[in-house]
Amino acid sequence: MKTLWHHCNAATMANGAYSSIEDAAILTDGPRIEWIGPRAAAPESDACKRVDLQGAWVTPGLVDCHTHLVFGGDRSGEFEERLQGVSYADIAARGGGIAGTVRATRAASEDALFDAARTRALGLLREGVTTIEVKSGYGLDLPSERKMLRVARRLADALPLTVRATCLAAHALPPEYAARPDDYIGHICDVMLPALVAEGLVDAVDAFCEHIAFSPQQVERVFRCAQELGVPVKLHAEQLSSLHGATLAARYRALSADHLEYMTEADAEAMAQSGTVAVLLPGAFYLLRETQCPPVDALRRQRVPIALASDMNPGTSPALSLRLMLNMGCTLFRLTPEEALAGVTLHAARALGLDATHGSLEAGKTADFVAWRIGRPAELSYWLGGALPARVVRGGEELDFAHLNA
């Protein structure tokens, strides 16, 4: 059925800019946008359902392109300890940190992980997020990584969300491979990835390239395996030091390189040439109280698309709001509100390989959009938390949150 959504203004985000249309209308045909433009030029059809958006500003559905949404337990106790002076190294030495989350995730049933992840995903959906990426990486063995990725697939079936599942088995060294990182990388490449890809659970492969995780050489083994399996790659890179992981990612035409606080101009140039998106994660920067900002000016000079994401995870970014990341991207990294909004729409969709169908309001694309009761798009970056009145449309259908919460 066709629907004409009218009496609104639209920030289409075409080409990564507001590309605003005042007094706009959007014609949807089922789950797709058939036409968008000034209301005065809207196609006429007696068969159309008409929906008055009452002067709202309409944006594409938001895209959270980097989350660790599925995990067991939480680390709020460690957060409190760190604030009382206990070092992360001391916490890790007694089995905390990522190792603690791995234990909790391995111990949790698939249903328990699903229930917790569904609650977190509903919070994102309620504030306009219609597409998310979900990483594994807290299982670190085949059964547990499989369990996490199965939960990601279940979320896509249970909620009106587009969900991309990323295998991050190369996130940390599991205890059974202590001091044997090359052996663990071999296990990922020889056993885990072939099995998980064959089961249809993997849309992309990620790794953590850092001195506390895996070397560029080890990551490249994972990338070569993913390439042989026909799966695109992404990378956690340059968060704590400069290992030129972003350049490595670009060499493999990665969808994105994420974090990037210590990247160089040469890394940015390589990313620009390969089309790799820079995903900035202000939540982790904030919680870790980092001082080295990503080189946003270098990314601008090289015209690298900049995305923003929540990095929702239990240790370094327990962020339940993507919209808060818009403000943090502006205040901490000095993005403009227009850049920030592009970072959670078109560029975030590109970081997931979905920019042909998601991330902007254009004819032929998926009819995912949000009608916000705001005076201008910059308000999405301006307000610190709280619920902004909004109507969320996914696949051409307005969502009923009372029904989803039941």
Side-chain angles (χ1 to χ4, degrees):
M1 179 181 180
K2 293 188 179 184
T3 302
L4 187 70
W5 311 79
H6 64 98
H7 188 196
C8 62
N9 303 300
T12 69
M13 305 316 295
N15 301 313
Y18 284 148
S19 300
S20 298
I21 304 171
E22 296 186 2
D23 194 13
I26 304 169
L27 179 65
T28 59
D29 186 358
R32 302 289 172 190
I33 297 173
E34 183 173 295
W35 178 91
I36 180 169
R39 178 166 55 161
E44 291 294 335
S45 172
D46 293 335
C48 272
K49 175 184 175 182
R50 300 176 69 89
V51 178
D52 186 341
L53 294 177
Q54 302 177 322
W57 268 96
V58 178
T59 70
L62 306 186
V63 179
D64 196 346
C65 65
H66 182 132
T67 86
H68 303 254
L69 187 78
V70 178
F71 54 85
D74 67 70
R75 287 168 29 207
S76 57
E78 293 179 11
F79 172 71
E80 190 168 20
E81 285 185 284
R82 290 201 307 271
L83 292 174
Q84 292 169 347
V86 182
S87 73
Y88 184 86
D90 288 340
I91 291 170
R94 65 168 191 252
I98 289 177
T101 299
V102 170
R103 282 195 306 277
T105 302
R106 287 180 174 183
S109 69
E110 183 179 314
D111 286 343
L113 291 174
F114 171 78
D115 289 343
R118 183 182 185 276
T119 298
R120 292 187 279 266
L122 267 175
L124 290 172
L125 186 59
R126 205 173 287 116
E127 69 169 19
V129 176
T130 55
T131 300
I132 62 171
E133 184 235 28
V134 176
K135 300 181 190 294
S136 66
Y138 291 124
L140 308 185
D141 62 24
L142 179 56
S144 302
E145 290 289 296
R146 176 186 286 124
K147 180 171 62 175
M148 295 183 71
L149 293 166
R150 281 175 53 85
V151 169
R153 292 293 191 233
R154 286 178 62 183
L155 288 171
D157 291 337
L159 294 174
L161 274 172
T162 299
V163 180
R164 303 295 278 181
T166 297
C167 182
L168 181 58
H171 189 200
L173 197 61
E176 56 270 26
Y177 281 89
R180 295 190 294 131
D182 287 332
D183 289 345
Y184 180 56
I185 292 295
H187 180 65
I188 291 172
C189 295
D190 296 339
V191 177
M192 295 174 70
L193 283 181
L196 296 169
V197 171
E199 293 168 25
L201 295 175
V202 180
D203 298 314
V205 170
D206 198 350
F208 188 15
C209 185
E210 193 55 77
H211 65 274
I212 63 170
F214 298 100
S215 70
Q217 294 75 23
Q218 290 161 342
V219 168
E220 187 160 18
R221 289 177 63 189
V222 175
F223 279 7
R224 285 199 301 267
C225 176
Q227 190 175 64
E228 290 167 2
L229 293 168
V231 180
V233 298
K234 306 166 70 69
L235 189 64
H236 287 60
E238 270 69 76
Q239 181 183 9
L240 305 173
S241 61
S242 177
L243 297 181
H244 301 292
T247 295
L248 171 63
R251 193 157 70 244
Y252 281 82
R253 306 194 72 81
L255 292 172
S256 71
D258 303 26
H259 286 290
L260 302 177
E261 281 87 338
Y262 286 85
M263 74 178 297
T264 66
E265 185 93 29
D267 293 323
E269 185 177 359
M271 291 175 64
Q273 291 173 356
S274 69
T276 298
V277 176
V279 179
L280 307 186
L281 304 171
F285 179 91
Y286 166 80
L287 201 78
L288 294 173
R289 293 187 286 188
E290 297 287 354
T291 57
Q292 174 89 14
C293 287
V296 170
D297 285 342
L299 294 169
R300 287 173 176 147
R301 280 193 298 272
Q302 299 298 335
R303 298 186 179 181
V304 177
I306 300 172
L308 287 173
S310 70
D311 192 17
M312 181 192 291
N313 75 74
T316 61
S317 187
L320 298 175
S321 171
L322 182 61
R323 196 166 55 76
L324 180 58
M325 299 303 106
L326 291 171
N327 180 276
M328 286 187 173
C330 294
T331 56
L332 299 177
F333 297 160
R334 302 297 189 264
L335 298 180
T336 67
E338 185 174 38
E339 288 174 323
L341 186 55
V344 297
T345 54
L346 185 62
H347 296 330
R350 185 173 177 181
L352 298 180
L354 293 174
D355 52 307
T357 53
H358 294 69
S360 62
L361 302 176
E362 299 180 76
K365 287 198 169 186
T366 300
D368 290 358
F369 52 87
V370 188
W372 307 89
R373 294 302 302 271
I374 56 177
R376 57 184 55 82
E379 286 190 52
L380 298 176
S381 298
Y382 168 72
W383 294 108
L384 281 169
L388 289 181
R391 300 165 69 173
V392 181
V393 175
R394 199 265 179 169
E397 297 287 338
E398 185 169 355
L399 300 188
D400 178 355
F401 285 101
H403 174 73
L404 287 170
N405 290 333

